Amino acid sequence: MRNQAAILAATRGMLSINPDATMAQIAQAAGVGRVTLYGHFSSRAELIDAALADVLHRGNRVLEQLDLDGDPREALGRLVVSSWKLVDESRSLLAAAQRELPEGRIRDLHRDLEGRVQRLLERGQHEGLFRADLPVDWLLATMHALMHGAANEIAAGRLEPEDAGPMLRATLLAAYALPGDA
Amino acid sequence: MRNQAAILAATRGMLSINPDATMAQIAQAAGVGRVTLYGHFSSRAELIDAALADVLHRGNRVLEQLDLDGDPREALGRLVVSSWKLVDESRSLLAAAQRELPEGRIRDLHRDLEGRVQRLLERGQHEGLFRADLPVDWLLATMHALMHGAANEIAAGRLEPEDAGPMLRATLLAAYALPGDA
DNA sequence: ACTAACTCATACATTCCTGTTCGAGTAAAG
DNA sequence: CTTTACTCGAACAGGAATGTATGAGTTAGT
C-alpha cells in the first residue's frame, strides 16, 4: 500500500488536465504499473471515488481551521478565498466524477463541506446581512457556479489565477447583499 | 437533404440528455439510418459543429429582436430572461462541443451572441449603472457561469425551471450593481 | 536465508465506437 | 418510364480502453 498517496495525487493531477485521462496515463503519472493500479483500485469508478473523497477530506480539514464567526460578510470573504484554490484544483476531477459515479454519490461526499457554507449563509440571512428573498440553495449554487466559471476563465487564459480570489469575493458579496443596501 | 433539420434537432435533443450520445443513438432519434447520418456529416465533430452553429444562429435571431435600449438594468433583465431557456436547452450540447471541437471554435461561434451582451454591459458601465471595478470579461463570465449553474440545479431537481429566470435576473442585477448602491 | 507483500511488463479477451463499403430499395422530377 | 437523389441495413476494419492472467523481479521483515 505504499503507493496509495502517489496514486491519488496522480489521479488528481491527471484528471485536472484531462477528465478523460486513461488508467494507463494515471498509472504512468503515479510512477506505477497499470496492473499495480488495478491492484489498488479494482475499477476506474472506484479510483475516482477515492480520489474525490480524498480531495474533499483535505478541503474539509482546511476549512474547519477557518474562523467563520463575526460579520458574516467578512467570514464569507475568508471562506471564498480559502475555498477557491481547492475548487480550482479539483474542478476537473469533479467533472470526471459526474460521468463515472452513480447519481447521489457526489452530493453525499460533499455534504460536510457544503454544510459549512450553508450554515454561514443561513446565519447571514438571520442576522439580516444577506438577502433572504432567494433560497439558501440558490445562493449556494451561485457560489459553486461562480467558482467553476472562474476556473474556466483561467483555463481559457482570460483570467490570471491571482485575480480570481478577489473578484469572486467582490462578486459574491454583491450578489448576496440585501436588495436595497448601502 | 430533406432530413437535415430532423438530424440537427435530434442531435440537440440527444446531446442534451447525454453529451456522450453515440452517432447510432443520434441517427435513431432522428429516424434515420446511421449510414445516412454519415452521408450528411462525415464525422462526429462536423455534426456537433453544425448543431452548435444552428443553435447559436437561432439564439441570435431571438436576441436580435430584443429591445436593449433604455435603462441598462432593465435591458439586462430582459436579456437574461430571454437567453436563459436557450442556454438551458443547449448546455449539454456545449459540453459535448468542448470535448470534440478544436480550441477556439466554440468561442468563434459565440462571437455574435457574446458581443451583444458585452455591448450592453459596457454601456451600463459608461452610464455609471453597472460596477466598473471589475472587467467586462469577468461580468460576462459571471453571467455564463450562473446560467450553467442554474441548468445544473434544474437537472439535479433542486430548482424549478420556471423559477430560474427571475432568480438569475435578481442575482445578476445585484452582482452588477455599483459597490455602494441604493 | 526465507517468506510475504508488493511490484512490474507483456499479453490477452472483451467491448464499444467510429468511419467505410456494398448492394439494394424508394420516391420524386423530368 | 427513367433518371437522379436519397435512403436503408448489414457487415467490416480499425482503434482505444477496460479489466484479467501470468510469471517473474524486488523489498522488508523475521
Side-chain angles (χ1 to χ4, degrees):
Chain A
M1 297 285 179
R2 67 176 180 271
N3 284 335
Q4 281 269 18
I7 290 176
L8 289 181
T11 304
R12 226 182 308 140
M14 280 291 104
L15 292 185
S16 291
I17 297 171
N18 170 24
D20 292 321
T22 296
M23 292 293 267
Q25 292 174 314
I26 293 172
Q28 189 181 10
V32 142
R34 201 171 67 92
V35 184
T36 304
L37 182 54
Y38 276 103
H40 287 280
F41 304 95
S42 57
S43 80
R44 180 186 174 77
E46 196 175 312
L47 172 61
I48 291 179
D49 189 293
L52 183 61
D54 178 55
V55 157
L56 293 176
H57 185 253
R58 291 159 178 271
N60 221 359
R61 286 202 307 186
V62 170
L63 261 55
E64 78 186 358
Q65 289 179 333
L66 207 63
D67 173 26
L68 293 184
D69 295 333
D71 188 324
R73 291 167 297 194
E74 292 173 9
L76 183 81
R78 291 193 293 272
L79 183 66
V80 167
V81 173
S82 289
S83 304
W84 157 241
K85 254 187 183 162
L86 296 172
V87 171
D88 185 24
E89 288 165 2
S90 56
R91 88 199 152 90
S92 205
L93 170 61
L94 213 151
Q98 270 169 341
R99 280 185 253 163
E100 220 88 17
L101 265 43
E103 186 59 28
R105 183 65 181 147
I106 295 177
R107 195 105 192 144
D108 285 351
L109 290 171
H110 265 88
R111 226 181 17 205
D112 287 347
L113 218 41
E114 199 166 76
R116 212 173 287 278
V117 185
Q118 185 171 344
R119 281 191 296 277
L120 174 59
L121 290 177
E122 282 169 351
R123 183 166 72 86
Q125 281 189 338
H126 285 132
E127 295 182 10
L129 293 168
F130 290 158
R131 68 192 307 168
D133 60 331
L134 297 176
V136 171
D137 275 355
W138 171 253
L139 300 184
L140 256 175
T142 297
M143 184 167 164
H144 280 167
L146 273 184
M147 286 185 167
H148 278 214
N152 280 333
E153 288 296 292
I154 290 174
R158 292 189 294 274
L159 179 63
E160 296 302 317
E162 63 267 24
D163 294 338
M167 285 190 183
L168 282 168
R169 202 192 51 211
T171 308
L172 282 171
L173 284 176
Y176 292 168
L178 294 180
D181 199 9
Chain B
M1 296 284 179
R2 67 177 181 271
N3 285 335
Q4 281 270 18
I7 290 177
L8 289 181
T11 305
R12 226 182 309 140
M14 281 291 104
L15 293 185
S16 291
I17 297 171
N18 170 23
D20 292 321
T22 298
M23 292 294 266
Q25 292 174 315
I26 294 172
Q28 189 182 10
V32 142
R34 202 171 65 94
V35 184
T36 304
L37 182 53
Y38 277 102
H40 288 280
F41 304 96
S42 58
S43 79
R44 179 185 176 77
E46 195 175 313
L47 172 62
I48 290 179
D49 190 292
L52 183 61
D54 178 55
V55 157
L56 292 176
H57 184 253
R58 289 159 178 270
N60 220 1
R61 286 201 308 185
V62 171
L63 261 56
E64 79 187 358
Q65 288 179 333
L66 208 62
D67 173 26
L68 294 185
D69 296 333
D71 187 324
R73 290 166 298 192
E74 293 173 9
L76 184 80
R78 290 192 294 273
L79 183 65
V80 167
V81 173
S82 290
S83 303
W84 157 241
K85 254 187 183 162
L86 297 171
V87 172
D88 185 25
E89 287 164 4
S90 57
R91 86 197 155 92
S92 204
L93 170 62
L94 213 151
Q98 271 169 341
R99 280 185 252 163
E100 220 88 14
L101 265 42
E103 187 59 27
R105 182 67 181 147
I106 295 178
R107 195 109 190 138
D108 285 351
L109 290 172
H110 265 89
R111 223 180 18 204
D112 288 348
L113 220 39
E114 198 166 76
R116 212 173 287 278
V117 185
Q118 185 170 345
R119 281 191 296 278
L120 174 60
L121 290 177
E122 282 169 352
R123 182 166 72 85
Q125 281 189 337
H126 284 132
E127 295 183 9
L129 293 169
F130 290 158
R131 68 193 305 168
D133 61 331
L134 296 176
V136 171
D137 275 356
W138 172 253
L139 300 185
L140 256 175
T142 297
M143 183 166 164
H144 280 167
L146 271 185
M147 286 185 168
H148 278 214
N152 280 333
E153 288 296 292
I154 289 175
R158 291 189 295 274
L159 178 63
E160 296 301 316
E162 63 267 23
D163 294 338
M167 285 191 183
L168 283 167
R169 201 193 51 211
T171 308
L172 282 171
L173 283 176
Y176 291 168
L178 294 180
D181 199 6

